[in-house]
Amino acid sequence: MENFVAIDFETANENTYSPCSVGIAKFENGKLVDSFYSLINPEQEFSPMNIFVHGIHPEDVENAPTYKEIYPKIQSYISNNLIVSHSSFDRNVLTKSSNYYDVDFINVEFIDTLTLSRRLLPGVHHGLSQMIRHYKIENITEFHNALEDAKACGLLAIAMLEASDYSTIFELVNNAGYKSFGKITPTEYIPFTLSKHGSTPIKFLNADDILSRKNLHKININETRIKDKNIAFTGKLQSMTRSEAEVIVSDLGGNFQKTVTLSTNILVVGLEDPRVVGPDGKSNKIKKAEHINSKTNNIEVIDEKEFIQMISR
């Protein structure tokens, strides 16, 4: 088994570059051998929602180091290492904060246990707490504490490996359909994504096929990924209108939502109008989904093409 470090951040607000705490758990030969935790002064305002989730208040970080001050310590753990996180959120905090505070860029490989668990265990909830319960991992009771979440994520990676027939994390992810680990260097970014040969071939439908009531009724509802899922949409769809999308979701056993809520499972992102969204190109629904995912990881954000894959036979 590869040695790795698991990392988790809590943020002060919806900005990914507002870390207010960091937890790092170092694993060697499948054992936790070292850990690090620190509050961070984000030098930004705190959101009441974020405070409610992680319990960190502005006064708690008044004398804490800034990200730029704490980064050398973080870098000493993660540089030239394999990073494990549950979803891309923590990795985004790392990269966005590094850019925002203009610190030396990292050189790491990474995997995402949320993405991997969705591949290995379809049909269940994949939030960190749910996965901990699924694998019966003990001694993790406090979630949304950065160090406890980092430990939980690392133990989850080990549990998924031990439940398989493989001896290394690379073998596990490779046989799950991933060509390699993700990679971040000062000059390149390689995402942690399925390789072409590792994904199941999907029959695509064109717009006419999608909207055909005859074809819809041919699809086995129990085999679609949207059955019993709460689905919201943002932006303009190219292959159908929003009303048509609502009909399709309903006919295939899903629940159409006009807004993003804590119960949302999937957010489908179409083309956003630059006159409506902010300079970051994100609609309010996307921002709300990112905010919820920073705490629960329960919303799958996909584009229109991926949605079409979901409703294809």
Side-chain angles (χ1 to χ4, degrees):
M1 178 186 297
E2 300 90 341
N3 297 333
F4 64 87
V5 292
I7 190 166
D8 185 88
F9 287 97
E10 299 296 331
T11 58
N13 53 55
E14 67 276 7
N15 295 331
T16 51
Y17 51 86
S18 66
C20 59
S21 69
V22 59
I24 299 174
K26 183 178 180 180
F27 290 83
E28 293 182 354
N29 299 316
K31 303 294 183 182
L32 177 65
V33 297
D34 192 11
S35 63
F36 171 73
Y37 174 81
S38 179
L39 292 171
I40 301 173
N41 187 339
E43 303 177 295
Q44 298 179 45
E45 293 185 357
F46 277 70
S47 161
M49 175 60 76
N50 290 52
I51 294 175
F52 174 77
V53 171
H54 53 55
I56 300 173
H57 294 76
E59 57 268 26
D60 296 328
V61 300
E62 286 180 354
N63 298 316
T66 64
Y67 183 84
K68 194 163 190 173
E69 292 170 334
I70 201 69
Y71 182 72
K73 185 69 172 181
I74 296 174
Q75 189 178 34
S76 69
Y77 277 95
I78 66 175
S79 186
N80 298 308
N81 219 327
L82 174 63
I83 291 181
V84 176
S85 64
H86 197 68
S87 88
S88 61
F89 174 80
D90 302 286
R91 194 170 64 254
N92 287 339
V93 173
L94 184 65
T95 55
K96 297 293 185 182
S97 298
S98 296
N99 286 331
Y100 184 76
Y101 285 94
D102 192 27
V103 298
D104 293 336
F105 214 67
I106 56 176
N107 187 341
V108 299
E109 292 184 309
F110 65 87
I111 66 166
D112 173 353
T113 53
L114 174 62
T115 299
L116 183 59
S117 65
R118 283 174 174 161
R119 180 71 175 171
L120 298 176
L121 295 167
V124 302
H125 290 293
H126 300 92
L128 185 57
S129 60
Q130 288 96 338
M131 287 292 95
I132 292 301
R133 288 194 291 271
H134 176 86
Y135 283 102
K136 297 180 173 59
I137 298 172
E138 299 179 346
N139 302 320
I140 299 293
T141 58
E142 184 181 1
F143 293 98
H144 302 305
N145 169 280
L147 181 55
E148 288 298 293
D149 281 356
K151 291 178 181 178
C153 181
L155 292 172
L156 172 59
I158 294 168
M160 287 194 291
L161 179 60
E162 290 179 341
S164 73
D165 295 326
Y166 307 111
S167 58
T168 68
I169 296 174
F170 180 78
E171 288 178 323
L172 175 64
V173 301
N174 188 248
N175 283 276
Y178 298 89
K179 185 176 182 180
S180 65
F181 296 136
K183 188 175 183 179
I184 304 173
T185 75
T187 58
E188 67 176 340
Y189 172 76
I190 300 174
F192 180 62
T193 56
L194 290 171
S195 59
K196 291 182 180 179
H197 70 272
S199 55
T200 303
I202 297 171
K203 178 181 178 181
F204 287 91
L205 303 178
N206 60 36
D208 291 336
D209 288 331
I210 294 170
L211 300 178
S212 165
R213 308 292 295 190
K214 180 179 179 181
N215 279 316
L216 276 176
H217 290 168
K218 282 183 178 180
I219 298 173
N220 186 339
I221 291 178
N222 292 321
E223 293 180 358
T224 67
R225 289 179 58 193
I226 70 172
K227 184 178 184 296
D228 298 325
K229 297 294 179 65
N230 298 318
I231 305 176
F233 292 80
T234 183
K236 181 178 176 58
L237 301 175
Q238 300 301 292
S239 61
M240 65 193 82
T241 66
R242 189 71 63 82
S243 296
E244 289 166 340
E246 181 175 357
V247 171
I248 290 172
V249 168
S250 177
D251 282 355
L252 294 182
N255 304 306
F256 180 88
Q257 290 186 319
K258 291 184 177 180
T259 60
V260 172
T261 70
L262 289 172
S263 67
T264 301
N265 303 117
I266 300 169
L267 174 62
V268 182
V269 179
L271 293 178
E272 298 289 357
D273 187 340
R275 297 168 297 178
V276 176
V277 300
D280 58 2
K282 297 179 180 180
S283 67
N284 288 333
K285 288 181 181 178
I286 294 175
K287 292 177 181 177
K288 188 169 183 181
E290 289 180 341
H291 180 68
I292 293 173
N293 272 346
S294 71
K295 315 305 170 188
T296 67
N297 294 316
N298 284 338
I299 302 178
E300 186 175 2
V301 181
I302 63 174
D303 60 22
E304 185 174 352
K305 181 179 179 181
E306 291 173 300
F307 175 66
I308 292 174
Q309 293 175 1
M310 283 185 172
I311 62 176
S312 298
R313 288 174 291 169

